[in-house]
Short mmCIF file of all heavy atoms in Angstrom, two decimals:
data_model
loop_
_atom_site.label_atom_id
_atom_site.label_comp_id
_atom_site.label_asym_id
_atom_site.label_seq_id
_atom_site.Cartn_x
_atom_site.Cartn_y
_atom_site.Cartn_z
N ILE H 199 3.89 38.95 21.01
CA ILE H 199 3.16 39.77 20.04
C ILE H 199 1.76 39.21 19.88
O ILE H 199 1.57 38.00 19.74
CB ILE H 199 3.90 39.78 18.69
CG1 ILE H 199 5.30 40.39 18.84
CG2 ILE H 199 3.10 40.54 17.63
CD1 ILE H 199 6.18 40.23 17.62
N SER H 200 0.75 40.05 19.89
CA SER H 200 -0.62 39.57 19.81
C SER H 200 -0.91 38.96 18.44
O SER H 200 -0.27 39.33 17.44
CB SER H 200 -1.61 40.72 20.06
OG SER H 200 -1.64 41.58 18.94
N PRO H 201 -1.86 38.01 18.36
CA PRO H 201 -2.23 37.45 17.05
C PRO H 201 -2.67 38.52 16.06
O PRO H 201 -2.35 38.45 14.87
CB PRO H 201 -3.37 36.49 17.39
CG PRO H 201 -3.13 36.10 18.82
CD PRO H 201 -2.56 37.33 19.46
N ARG H 202 -3.40 39.52 16.52
CA ARG H 202 -3.87 40.60 15.64
C ARG H 202 -2.69 41.35 15.04
O ARG H 202 -2.68 41.65 13.83
CB ARG H 202 -4.76 41.55 16.43
CG ARG H 202 -5.28 42.75 15.64
CD ARG H 202 -6.13 43.64 16.53
NE ARG H 202 -7.42 43.03 16.81
CZ ARG H 202 -8.57 43.40 16.25
NH1 ARG H 202 -8.57 44.41 15.37
NH2 ARG H 202 -9.69 42.82 16.56
N ASP H 203 -1.68 41.65 15.86
CA ASP H 203 -0.51 42.37 15.35
C ASP H 203 0.34 41.47 14.45
O ASP H 203 0.88 41.94 13.44
CB ASP H 203 0.34 42.89 16.51
CG ASP H 203 -0.29 44.06 17.23
OD1 ASP H 203 -1.23 44.67 16.66
OD2 ASP H 203 0.13 44.36 18.37
N MET H 204 0.44 40.19 14.81
CA MET H 204 1.26 39.27 14.02
C MET H 204 0.70 39.10 12.61
O MET H 204 1.45 38.93 11.64
CB MET H 204 1.35 37.91 14.72
CG MET H 204 2.35 36.94 14.10
SD MET H 204 4.08 37.42 14.38
CE MET H 204 4.33 36.79 16.05
N THR H 205 -0.62 39.14 12.48
CA THR H 205 -1.24 38.91 11.17
C THR H 205 -1.65 40.21 10.46
O THR H 205 -2.27 40.16 9.39
CB THR H 205 -2.49 38.01 11.31
OG1 THR H 205 -3.43 38.65 12.19
CG2 THR H 205 -2.12 36.65 11.87
N ALA H 206 -1.31 41.34 11.04
CA ALA H 206 -1.66 42.63 10.43
C ALA H 206 -1.06 42.74 9.03
O ALA H 206 0.13 42.48 8.84
CB ALA H 206 -1.18 43.77 11.31
N GLY H 207 -1.88 43.11 8.06
CA GLY H 207 -1.40 43.25 6.69
C GLY H 207 -1.52 41.99 5.86
O GLY H 207 -1.39 42.05 4.63
N TRP H 208 -1.78 40.85 6.50
CA TRP H 208 -1.91 39.59 5.77
C TRP H 208 -3.37 39.42 5.36
O TRP H 208 -4.27 39.48 6.18
CB TRP H 208 -1.39 38.42 6.63
CG TRP H 208 0.09 38.57 6.80
CD1 TRP H 208 0.74 39.34 7.71
CD2 TRP H 208 1.09 38.01 5.95
NE1 TRP H 208 2.10 39.29 7.49
CE2 TRP H 208 2.35 38.48 6.42
CE3 TRP H 208 1.07 37.14 4.85
CZ2 TRP H 208 3.55 38.10 5.82
CZ3 TRP H 208 2.27 36.78 4.26
CH2 TRP H 208 3.49 37.26 4.73
N ASP H 209 -3.58 39.20 4.07
CA ASP H 209 -4.94 39.16 3.54
C ASP H 209 -5.72 37.96 4.05
O ASP H 209 -6.94 38.04 4.23
CB ASP H 209 -4.90 39.14 2.00
CG ASP H 209 -4.31 40.42 1.44
OD1 ASP H 209 -4.86 41.50 1.74
OD2 ASP H 209 -3.30 40.35 0.71
N SER H 210 -5.04 36.86 4.26
CA SER H 210 -5.69 35.68 4.83
C SER H 210 -4.74 35.02 5.82
O SER H 210 -3.52 35.04 5.64
CB SER H 210 -6.10 34.69 3.73
OG SER H 210 -5.02 34.37 2.88
N ALA H 211 -5.32 34.46 6.87
CA ALA H 211 -4.53 33.79 7.90
C ALA H 211 -5.44 32.80 8.61
O ALA H 211 -6.67 32.97 8.63
CB ALA H 211 -3.95 34.80 8.90
N TRP H 212 -4.85 31.78 9.21
CA TRP H 212 -5.68 30.79 9.89
C TRP H 212 -4.96 30.22 11.11
O TRP H 212 -3.74 30.34 11.25
CB TRP H 212 -6.11 29.67 8.94
CG TRP H 212 -5.00 28.88 8.30
CD1 TRP H 212 -4.33 29.19 7.15
CD2 TRP H 212 -4.45 27.65 8.76
NE1 TRP H 212 -3.40 28.24 6.86
CE2 TRP H 212 -3.44 27.27 7.82
CE3 TRP H 212 -4.69 26.82 9.85
CZ2 TRP H 212 -2.70 26.10 7.97
CZ3 TRP H 212 -3.94 25.65 9.99
CH2 TRP H 212 -2.97 25.31 9.06
N ILE H 213 -5.75 29.61 11.98
CA ILE H 213 -5.24 28.97 13.19
C ILE H 213 -5.64 27.50 13.15
O ILE H 213 -6.80 27.17 12.87
CB ILE H 213 -5.84 29.61 14.46
CG1 ILE H 213 -5.41 31.07 14.59
CG2 ILE H 213 -5.43 28.84 15.71
CD1 ILE H 213 -6.09 31.79 15.73
N ASP H 214 -4.69 26.62 13.45
CA ASP H 214 -4.98 25.19 13.57
C ASP H 214 -5.27 24.87 15.03
O ASP H 214 -4.46 25.18 15.91
CB ASP H 214 -3.78 24.38 13.08
CG ASP H 214 -4.13 22.92 12.84
OD1 ASP H 214 -4.93 22.37 13.62
OD2 ASP H 214 -3.60 22.33 11.90
N PHE H 215 -6.40 24.25 15.29
CA PHE H 215 -6.77 23.91 16.67
C PHE H 215 -6.39 22.49 17.05
O PHE H 215 -6.44 22.13 18.22
CB PHE H 215 -8.28 24.12 16.87
CG PHE H 215 -8.66 25.56 16.97
CD1 PHE H 215 -9.04 26.28 15.86
CD2 PHE H 215 -8.59 26.22 18.19
CE1 PHE H 215 -9.36 27.62 15.95
CE2 PHE H 215 -8.91 27.57 18.29
CZ PHE H 215 -9.30 28.27 17.17
N SER H 216 -6.00 21.67 16.08
CA SER H 216 -5.72 20.26 16.37
C SER H 216 -4.25 19.99 16.67
O SER H 216 -3.86 18.84 16.82
CB SER H 216 -6.17 19.39 15.19
OG SER H 216 -5.38 19.63 14.04
N LYS H 217 -3.46 21.04 16.77
CA LYS H 217 -2.04 20.85 17.14
C LYS H 217 -1.87 21.24 18.61
O LYS H 217 -2.47 20.63 19.48
CB LYS H 217 -1.15 21.65 16.20
CG LYS H 217 -1.12 21.08 14.78
CD LYS H 217 -0.07 21.76 13.91
CE LYS H 217 0.15 21.03 12.60
NZ LYS H 217 -0.99 21.13 11.67
N GLY H 218 -1.08 22.25 18.88
CA GLY H 218 -0.77 22.58 20.27
C GLY H 218 -1.96 23.00 21.11
O GLY H 218 -1.92 22.91 22.34
N LEU H 219 -3.04 23.43 20.46
CA LEU H 219 -4.22 23.85 21.22
C LEU H 219 -5.06 22.67 21.70
O LEU H 219 -5.97 22.84 22.50
CB LEU H 219 -5.07 24.81 20.38
CG LEU H 219 -4.38 26.15 20.08
CD1 LEU H 219 -5.26 27.00 19.18
CD2 LEU H 219 -4.04 26.90 21.36
N GLY H 220 -4.77 21.48 21.18
CA GLY H 220 -5.31 20.26 21.76
C GLY H 220 -6.72 19.88 21.40
O GLY H 220 -7.29 18.96 21.99
N ALA H 221 -7.34 20.54 20.41
CA ALA H 221 -8.68 20.15 19.99
C ALA H 221 -8.59 18.95 19.04
O ALA H 221 -7.55 18.73 18.40
CB ALA H 221 -9.38 21.31 19.30
N PRO H 222 -9.65 18.16 18.93
CA PRO H 222 -9.57 16.96 18.11
C PRO H 222 -9.57 17.20 16.61
O PRO H 222 -9.10 16.35 15.84
CB PRO H 222 -10.80 16.15 18.52
CG PRO H 222 -11.76 17.15 19.04
CD PRO H 222 -10.92 18.22 19.68
N ILE H 223 -10.11 18.35 16.17
CA ILE H 223 -10.22 18.57 14.73
C ILE H 223 -10.43 20.06 14.44
O ILE H 223 -10.99 20.79 15.25
CB ILE H 223 -11.42 17.76 14.15
CG1 ILE H 223 -11.43 17.78 12.63
CG2 ILE H 223 -12.74 18.28 14.71
CD1 ILE H 223 -12.46 16.82 12.04
N GLY H 224 -9.92 20.49 13.30
CA GLY H 224 -10.34 21.78 12.76
C GLY H 224 -9.34 22.91 12.76
O GLY H 224 -8.41 22.95 13.55
N GLY H 225 -9.56 23.81 11.81
CA GLY H 225 -8.84 25.07 11.71
C GLY H 225 -9.83 26.15 11.34
O GLY H 225 -10.91 25.86 10.81
N VAL H 226 -9.48 27.40 11.60
CA VAL H 226 -10.36 28.51 11.23
C VAL H 226 -9.58 29.49 10.37
O VAL H 226 -8.53 29.99 10.78
CB VAL H 226 -10.93 29.23 12.47
CG1 VAL H 226 -11.77 30.43 12.04
CG2 VAL H 226 -11.78 28.27 13.30
N LEU H 227 -10.09 29.73 9.17
CA LEU H 227 -9.48 30.63 8.20
C LEU H 227 -10.18 31.98 8.24
O LEU H 227 -11.41 32.04 8.26
CB LEU H 227 -9.60 30.01 6.80
CG LEU H 227 -9.18 30.84 5.59
CD1 LEU H 227 -7.70 31.16 5.63
CD2 LEU H 227 -9.55 30.09 4.30
N ALA H 228 -9.40 33.06 8.26
CA ALA H 228 -9.97 34.40 8.39
C ALA H 228 -9.46 35.32 7.28
O ALA H 228 -8.37 35.12 6.73
CB ALA H 228 -9.63 34.99 9.75
N GLY H 229 -10.28 36.33 6.98
CA GLY H 229 -9.92 37.32 5.96
C GLY H 229 -11.05 38.30 5.78
O GLY H 229 -11.89 38.47 6.67
N SER H 230 -11.12 38.93 4.63
CA SER H 230 -12.21 39.87 4.36
C SER H 230 -13.52 39.11 4.17
O SER H 230 -13.52 37.90 3.90
CB SER H 230 -11.90 40.68 3.10
OG SER H 230 -11.98 39.85 1.96
N ARG H 231 -14.64 39.82 4.27
CA ARG H 231 -15.95 39.17 4.08
C ARG H 231 -16.05 38.60 2.66
O ARG H 231 -16.58 37.50 2.45
CB ARG H 231 -17.07 40.16 4.34
CG ARG H 231 -17.18 40.59 5.79
CD ARG H 231 -18.50 41.31 6.09
NE ARG H 231 -18.46 41.88 7.43
CZ ARG H 231 -18.63 41.17 8.54
NH1 ARG H 231 -18.86 39.87 8.47
NH2 ARG H 231 -18.58 41.76 9.72
N ALA H 232 -15.58 39.34 1.68
CA ALA H 232 -15.66 38.87 0.30
C ALA H 232 -14.81 37.62 0.10
O ALA H 232 -15.22 36.67 -0.60
CB ALA H 232 -15.21 39.98 -0.65
N PHE H 233 -13.61 37.60 0.72
CA PHE H 233 -12.74 36.43 0.61
C PHE H 233 -13.39 35.21 1.24
O PHE H 233 -13.44 34.12 0.64
CB PHE H 233 -11.40 36.73 1.28
CG PHE H 233 -10.53 35.52 1.53
CD1 PHE H 233 -9.87 34.91 0.48
CD2 PHE H 233 -10.37 35.01 2.81
CE1 PHE H 233 -9.08 33.78 0.71
CE2 PHE H 233 -9.58 33.90 3.04
CZ PHE H 233 -8.93 33.29 1.99
N ILE H 234 -13.91 35.34 2.46
CA ILE H 234 -14.53 34.21 3.14
C ILE H 234 -15.77 33.73 2.40
O ILE H 234 -16.05 32.53 2.31
CB ILE H 234 -14.86 34.57 4.60
CG1 ILE H 234 -13.56 34.83 5.39
CG2 ILE H 234 -15.68 33.47 5.27
CD1 ILE H 234 -12.60 33.64 5.44
N ASP H 235 -16.50 34.65 1.80
CA ASP H 235 -17.67 34.27 1.01
C ASP H 235 -17.25 33.37 -0.16
O ASP H 235 -17.89 32.35 -0.44
CB ASP H 235 -18.36 35.52 0.49
CG ASP H 235 -19.65 35.21 -0.26
OD1 ASP H 235 -20.56 34.60 0.35
OD2 ASP H 235 -19.75 35.56 -1.46
#
Side-chain angles (χ1 to χ4, degrees):
I199 298 171
S200 73
R202 178 181 287 255
D203 287 344
M204 189 71 82
T205 60
W208 292 83
D209 295 302
S210 53
W212 60 274
I213 296 174
D214 194 323
F215 285 92
S216 67
K217 291 188 169 70
L219 294 177
I223 189 171
V226 176
L227 173 64
S230 70
R231 292 193 189 283
F233 167 74
I234 295 300
D235 185 59

